[in-house]
Amino acid sequence: MCGLLVLAIVFQGQLAALLDVPALRTGSTIFVAVCVQAMPFLVFGVLVSGLIAAFVPPSALRAALPRNQSAAVPVAGFAGLALPGCECASVPVSRRLIQQGVAPAAALTFLLAAPAVNPVVLVSTAVAFPAEPRMVLARFLGSLLTACAMGWLWVRLGKSEWLAEWALRRLECHDSGGSRWTVFTESARHDLVEAGGFLVLGGLTSAAFNVLVPASWMESLGGQLLLGVLVMAVLAVVLALCSEADAFVVASMPGLPLTAKLVFLVVGPAVDVKLIALQSGAFGRRFAARFAPTTFVVAIGSACAAGALLLGGA
């Protein structure tokens, strides 16, 4: 790093001439704007998530859930309103809930709802779309519908043998000797580094997207709702952005229909490449191979339904 800094100072004249191009200036401006807008919400969500990890036992959710699985699904979905956090953190929390006796349908509903309907995500969406307040309600409805639909599908069709043996094994509690504040700082630090990396990646992707992809391509999607929905759904899976920052990234993409942007916001926190990997490690490959594709289809359908109801199919 020191060597690179020395070279940058020595050859700053040549570098300035080389890098002083309109496309690079535009890309750097978009990157900084996305990161600066999203960072306060990301930090706030990480701090709240750390406090919950340290001071709120997972058994509190189990005690609040009805014994009937079908009735427990919407309760677990609305529980996501009170638990801000990244989708990366919801996977181990959901596995812990199953290991503590929570019905898998409720735990999986919470897995999908917590990173998508919490107040931090909704406020960040409102800030990213100041001219479209309907987008906040549409995202909430589409994400909650996705989570509850997957929970009810598990009640009807899910099988415990799809879950790996280690996901069902009851936990034995051990006292690590660390204070609650140590748990808070370690959890917050881990989540910030993890989610911050995805935010930087998202900012770079958004900048490259705006600079490298011709505006005419995106404008062509403006009149093709079906194609726009499919493209944005696949893009949400591939980019794997943090739910607390994805609204700023998609808001910076010009020419897209609102419903296509909504699909991106609903699909991303529910299924992406990093979540598939995390779910495979937490619940097993047999589970991920069934859960991820089904969630992808349900999320697209839920987002389109919410868009048709609240955005008028725009």
Side-chain angles (χ1 to χ4, degrees):
M1 180 63 71
C2 291
L4 290 175
L5 290 175
V6 170
L7 290 175
I9 293 173
V10 172
F11 298 102
Q12 59 180 321
Q14 292 85 341
L15 287 174
L18 179 64
L19 301 178
D20 188 20
V21 293
L24 189 59
R25 289 199 301 269
T26 301
S28 61
T29 300
I30 294 173
F31 169 75
V32 172
V34 169
C35 291
V36 169
Q37 282 184 309
M39 186 58 70
F41 299 97
L42 183 62
V43 172
F44 178 74
V46 164
L47 292 176
V48 175
S49 180
L51 288 171
I52 291 170
F55 297 99
V56 179
S59 56
L61 179 60
R62 182 183 60 184
L65 291 174
R67 292 185 178 273
N68 182 277
Q69 291 192 49
S70 297
V73 165
V75 175
F78 279 103
L81 283 168
L83 299 175
C86 180
E87 56 267 30
C88 301
S90 68
V91 175
V93 171
S94 298
R95 181 177 66 175
R96 191 181 311 127
L97 292 172
I98 293 176
Q99 292 171 332
Q100 291 186 343
V102 172
L108 295 176
T109 301
F110 176 80
L111 183 152
L112 296 174
V117 302
N118 66 71
V120 177
V121 170
L122 298 179
V123 171
S124 68
T125 305
V127 174
F129 292 91
E132 293 294 340
R134 297 172 298 170
M135 184 65 80
V136 179
L137 183 58
R139 181 176 193 179
F140 172 80
L141 180 61
S143 298
L144 185 62
L145 181 59
T146 299
C148 291
M150 289 302 298
W152 284 320
L153 280 175
W154 184 270
V155 172
R156 291 293 302 273
L157 305 175
K159 300 179 180 179
S160 59
E161 54 263 30
W162 293 348
L163 296 169
E165 185 271 335
W166 64 81
L168 297 173
R169 187 187 303 133
R170 290 298 183 98
L171 285 178
E172 295 181 5
C173 298
H174 299 282
D175 186 4
S176 62
S179 68
R180 293 181 182 271
W181 288 108
T182 301
V183 175
F184 163 71
T185 55
E186 287 299 314
S187 176
R189 179 189 61 81
H190 176 271
D191 288 350
L192 182 60
V193 172
E194 183 82 13
F198 287 110
L199 172 59
V200 172
L201 178 62
L204 289 172
T205 304
S206 179
F209 189 88
N210 279 270
V211 171
L212 300 178
V213 177
S216 58
W217 290 11
M218 303 307 296
E219 292 173 358
S220 66
L221 294 178
Q224 302 183 43
L225 181 59
L226 179 59
L227 180 60
V229 164
L230 295 177
V231 168
M232 295 306 291
V234 173
L235 199 61
V237 175
V238 174
L239 293 185
L241 301 180
C242 177
S243 62
E244 293 159 356
D246 56 2
F248 297 98
V249 175
V250 74
S252 66
M253 297 180 180
L256 288 169
L258 286 177
T259 300
K261 293 184 177 183
L262 177 62
V263 168
F264 183 93
L265 296 177
V266 173
V267 171
V271 53
D272 59 37
V273 289
K274 72 175 185 298
L275 276 175
I276 294 173
L278 288 170
Q279 291 169 6
S280 297
F283 302 109
R285 294 181 180 178
R286 294 181 63 190
F287 168 83
R290 293 169 171 82
F291 189 76
T294 307
T295 304
F296 181 74
V297 175
V298 170
I300 293 177
S302 299
C304 290
L309 179 63
L310 298 173
L311 303 179

